[in-house]
Each structure stands twice: as C-alpha cells, then as structure tokens.
Amino acid sequence: MRVAMISLHTSPLHQPGSGDAGGMNVYVLQTARHLARRGVAVDIFTRATRMGQGEIVEVEPNLRVINIIAGPYEGLAKEALPTQLAAFAGGMLQWEHCHDVSYDLIHSHYWLSGQVGWLLRDVWKVPLVHTAHTLAAVKNAHRSAEDTPESEARRICEQQLVDNADVLVVNTDQERADLVEHYDADESIIRVIPPGADTELFTPGSDRATERTRRELGIPLHAKVIAFVGRLQTFKGPQVLIRATAELMRRDPGRALCVVICGGPSGQHATPEEYAQLARELGVERRIRFLNPRPPQELVALYQAADIVAVPSYNESFGLVAIEAQASGTPVVAARVGGLPLAVAEGETGILVDGHEPEAWADALGTLLDDDETRIAMGEAAVRRAASFSWCAAAERLEELYEDALSVGVADCPQRFASGKER
Ligand code: UDP
C-alpha cells in the first residue's frame, strides 16, 4: 500500500514547540514511521520553507518527506496559506507525474491539507482519510475572552471536509462528539484512534539525572518544579500557570518554587516577552524560567526533573505532553477539557482542574506539591497509564482503517468514481 500523507502547513521534520509545529508534527511523523515499519510506503507532502532542504528527504525505509514548492520559502504567514492551495495541489500532481508513482490513499492532516486532499482524491480516484487535529468551531466554543476567534472561512472549509472525506479520524470519543455536535458529521465515517507516546524515549529518570538537569538549568535542588511544555499561545494557557504561580506565592511567600516554561512563540498574539511581562507585573519573574523549544531527546530530562507538569490549555484534541510527562514518571495537573481527561487518570496520575481561575489552579498545584507521598505514587501510576498509549498500536489501527477504506472506498462512491479507472 502506498499512502500520500499531506501536512501542508508544517513539516513533520520541524522542531515542535514553537510556531506552527506542535503535536500534529509529532503525530504525523510517529504514525508514518510506524506505518512504514509495518510495510506501508508513506510519502508525506509538505510545503518547502527553506532553500536547499531538497525535494525528497528519505527519513527511513518506506518513509519520505516530499517538499513541494508552493509560494515563497519565507514570509508567508499561516493565514496566507490558503492562497497557495492550488500551487501545492499542482506541485503534488507534478510530483506524481514526474516520479511515476501512484497512491492508493490520501491521508490529510489539518484543514489546509484536507482541501488539497479533497481535490486530489477525485483526480486520483482514491479514498480520502482526514484528521482535523483541531476544529475552528470547537476552539471558538472554548477560547478564553482574551483570545481571538478562528475565522468563519476556516470553519466552512472544515465543514466541506466533514461532508466529503471518506473517513474522519479523531483522537477521542470527545472529538467524535464534537464533530457531530458542531459539524453534523455522519458518525459512521468517524474512527477513534488514540495517539501514543514514545515510551522508549520518555521514561522515568534516576535521582542523579534529575540532579544533573536541575544543576544545568540553574534550579535549586530543594525547590519544587512545575513545568509547562508547548507552544506559547493564549489557547495553551501559559498565562494561567503564571497567574497560579503568583497565587501560590501570595499564599506562601516562602515557598521554594520554580516554574519552567519550555516553548516558543506561536500564533500572532502572544510572545514570550508578553509572558515575561505578565510575570513581572505579578511579581513572580524570579520564579519563572523560560526555555527555548528542544528536541524530545532533551525534553525528557525536563519532564523527569519536574515534580509536576501543568497542561492548562483551553482545549486539547488530545495533549501529547500529558502522556509524555506521565511516561517520564511525572504527574500532570491538567484542565478538564478535550482529550485531557482521557490522557490523565483523575486522582491516580494527576489532577484535573475545572476552568482556568488562578485560585483553582493554585489549589490543585499546591495540594500536590505539598503531598510528596501522593505525588510520588501518582508518578509511578503515570508510567503505567502512559504505557497504554502507543504509536505502534495507533499505526496498526490506521493500517486497518486504510485497508477498510480501500475495500469500500471506490465501490461506495459510484458518482464520484463513475468515469475513472479503479486502482
Ligand atoms: N515539543 C517538543 N519540544 C518542545 C516543546 C514541545 O518536542 O520544546 C513537543 C512535545 O513533545 C509534544 C508536542 O510538541 O509532542 C506538543 O504536542 P501537544 O499535543 O501537547 O500540543 P499541540 O502542539 O498539539 O497543541
């Protein structure tokens, strides 16, 4: 089986944790890797963003990233990418033609890729599997008052995909319900496949490793550490953690606490400097450390060195950070939104917080910081919890789904495929 994956707006080879690169990049790369190891040939098409990155990047046997030229390498904001959909689709067609390959199925990620996949599906006469990752209507229903809404144009494009894709893949039952509630999706085409975590990389660390990391980061060994890992934008809620930190310090000014925020700017409306400014206004600038995004091989040390990982998002389709932290033996305090109640076992591997008020977050964080016994027990349970999420299992279920789509895809759509050759 040969699959064309589309990840137009961000390459799976980009460093996640800043800009447009986050969980989706990890998801695309990991599922593609595991599909490739199962014998499925995967080409991931993404927009070229750098001179000299080459058209084809061989990632591992059976897996390539194809950089399609569509618009300038730099200077094109995500908001402007809809202007390049035709160029990108044309680039993919040209690629297929010049390299004499044909694809059995298209799997598109995010609505921009979905729009291209929708067109090519009809040209190639193959099934279109689409994963939205996030949805405008859901984000708008959950965003904070200080965040800007997603556009109606994006919602319309998502609606078209819900109405036209052959299969919709989601991470959780909650996302399935969201698709039905907000987009009136046909439930029979939705497949729930939970994502995974690299549990070979993300493992608990030794006390010595934790000590070393803390020394490297300049964190006092006796301080308690809360970590936030992810893109810095209002929707991910770093401001919630900064305000909760101020509340914790107001309640106990002598508390030895260090909050590490690891990630880079993402979206138009929040920069690390704005978060640093908020910390200064609240008088907690000495408690908060900002770190640049880092690759998973380095991130694991941060998860291990933290006493708690906080995920204060306004919504998460799943929340990979919550699983990675748990795999590293660290309990998670997360917002009770989206996929987080599935990722975190409430009371066993962490705490779920309702809403985003600093007082509620300070209650949850403070309780867990002050109770070493519970926190350590939760860290141990967290490792077991994370072990149930695997990329290998996700890829196996994707392959099954692809096979199902191939067996029914063409036959089920007589109008669409009436005049075309079957592959
Ligand atoms: N990430 C990373 N380095 C960083 C920060 C984040 O590699 O410095 C990765 C992290 O390991 C996780 C992903 O970015 O796999 C974020 O995924 P999540 O689902 O938590 O959030 P999203 O970006 O999808 O909103």
Side-chain angles (χ1 to χ4, degrees), residues 327-343:
S328 310
T330 305
V332 174
V333 174
R336 194 192 303 280
V337 293
L340 291 170
L342 175 68

Side-chain angles (χ1 to χ4, degrees), residues 1 4 6 26 31-32 43 48 63 95 130 144 179 186 204-205 215 222 234 275 318-319 321 326 330 346 368 375 407:
M1 191 191 311
I6 311 178
V26 176
T31 52
D43 284 341
L63 175 59
W95 156 271
H130 179 66
S144 72
L179 271 177
D186 170 1
R215 281 190 209 286
H222 68 283
T234 310
Y275 294 115
F318 189 74
V321 161
Q326 292 178 89
T330 305
E346 184 162 29
L368 203 53
R375 211 182 50 252
S407 63

Side-chain angles (χ1 to χ4, degrees), residues 65-234:
V65 170
I66 315 295
N67 294 301
I68 297 287
I69 294 178
Y73 295 126
E74 288 173 27
L76 208 55
K78 188 175 170 190
E79 292 66 33
L81 288 180
T83 62
Q84 298 306 316
L85 297 186
F88 192 89
M92 280 184 68
L93 284 170
Q94 203 176 354
W95 156 271
E96 192 221 17
H97 181 72
C98 293
H99 293 81
D100 197 24
V101 285
S102 61
Y103 295 95
D104 299 298
L105 181 140
I106 299 170
H107 189 165
S108 54
H109 295 273
Y110 197 66
W111 68 273
L112 291 164
S113 308
Q115 288 286 319
V116 173
W118 178 23
L119 171 74
L120 295 186
R121 182 273 307 273
D122 286 346
V123 177
W124 290 344
K125 299 170 179 56
V126 298
L128 172 67
V129 176
H130 179 66
T131 307
H133 292 276
T134 59
L135 292 162
V138 176
K139 287 189 89 168
N140 285 344
H142 293 277
R143 78 189 163 87
S144 72
E146 54 197 336
D147 213 349
T148 38
E150 294 297 323
S151 72
E152 176 63 3
R154 171 179 169 181
R155 196 202 60 76
I156 290 167
C157 289
E158 290 171 344
Q159 185 67 59
Q160 291 169 322
L161 292 168
V162 168
D163 295 341
N164 286 282
D166 297 287
V167 184
L168 298 168
V169 179
V170 295
N171 290 321
T172 61
D173 288 332
Q174 175 61 53
E175 275 193 301
R176 183 202 341 234
D178 286 339
L179 271 177
V180 174
E181 180 188 339
H182 294 280
Y183 293 83
D184 198 18
D186 170 1
E187 269 199 84
S188 69
I189 67 161
I190 305 176
R191 296 285 177 278
V192 181
I193 302 185
D198 183 346
T199 46
E200 278 170 26
L201 174 68
F202 295 110
T203 54
S206 62
D207 289 347
R208 278 186 64 189
T210 295
E211 239 183 80
R212 196 175 55 238
T213 307
R214 287 189 176 211
R215 281 190 209 286
E216 281 167 9
L217 296 175
I219 298 172
L221 295 182
H222 68 283
K224 293 275 168 52
V225 176
I226 305 173
F228 169 98
V229 172
R231 295 172 294 124
L232 297 185
Q233 54 169 247
T234 310

